[in-house]
Amino acid sequence: MTGALVASQGKGQKVELQASEVRVLGKADADAYPIQQKQTTFEFLRTQAHLRARTNTFGAVARVRNVICQAIHQFYNDRGFVYLHTPIITASDCEGAGQMFRVSTVDFETRRAGRTARSTTRRTSSGAPPT
């Protein structure tokens, strides 16, 4: 479309395009473009995963999720926290990934409530180093 962008006289929009030329580049085949201007069920959208984001419902959910995540990140960022992706430590060994990390624990005796207990932590419950 070619035309002039002018202030809208209608409700719900600020501007509109007054077209002086319209050129059709091709037809929209219903089989090639399964999401039409009609009500689609979530069951149908499960079969068209790559097109979900183009629907009003999934677009609205994505925008709300974006605002929420942004607010959470900003909250922690303003308080000096750093956002990072830590490595996932797992017991599954897929394609040799289990050889990347070795997790070990320190085993020592600690005194708790007047008795000796086995512990695999580096500190006692008071936060002080073990004696």
Side-chain angles (χ1 to χ4, degrees):
M1 298 181 92
T2 305
L5 197 61
V6 297
S8 177
Q9 300 297 318
K11 292 183 178 181
Q13 60 189 27
K14 293 181 180 181
V15 295
E16 62 186 41
L17 176 66
Q18 290 181 348
S20 59
E21 178 187 354
V22 177
R23 199 168 46 139
V24 177
L25 300 177
K27 294 183 178 180
D29 181 19
D31 292 329
Y33 299 97
I35 297 180
Q36 303 293 318
Q37 291 292 333
K38 61 181 178 180
Q39 185 68 25
T40 55
T41 64
F42 290 130
E43 289 77 21
F44 173 75
L45 290 174
R46 284 190 190 102
T47 66
Q48 306 293 325
H50 62 292
L51 297 175
R52 284 185 212 153
R54 299 192 61 169
T55 64
N56 289 339
T57 302
F58 283 89
V61 168
R63 287 188 298 276
V64 169
R65 182 179 178 183
N66 175 62
V67 170
I68 291 170
C69 290
Q70 197 172 34
I72 291 169
H73 286 283
Q74 190 64 48
F75 174 85
Y76 284 106
N77 188 56
D78 291 346
R79 287 156 179 80
F81 288 87
V82 176
Y83 180 69
L84 68 128
H85 293 275
T86 58
I88 298 172
I89 300 174
T90 178
S92 63
D93 187 10
C94 180
E95 298 180 9
Q99 297 173 3
M100 290 177 59
F101 302 103
R102 181 174 50 197
V103 178
S104 61
T105 59
V106 177
D107 192 17
F108 56 83
E109 290 185 7
T110 57
R111 304 263 176 212
R112 290 189 185 142
R115 58 188 171 95
T116 301
R118 299 296 293 172
S119 175
T120 58
T121 60
R122 294 183 185 270
R123 303 235 178 233
T124 62
S125 59
S126 67
T131 57

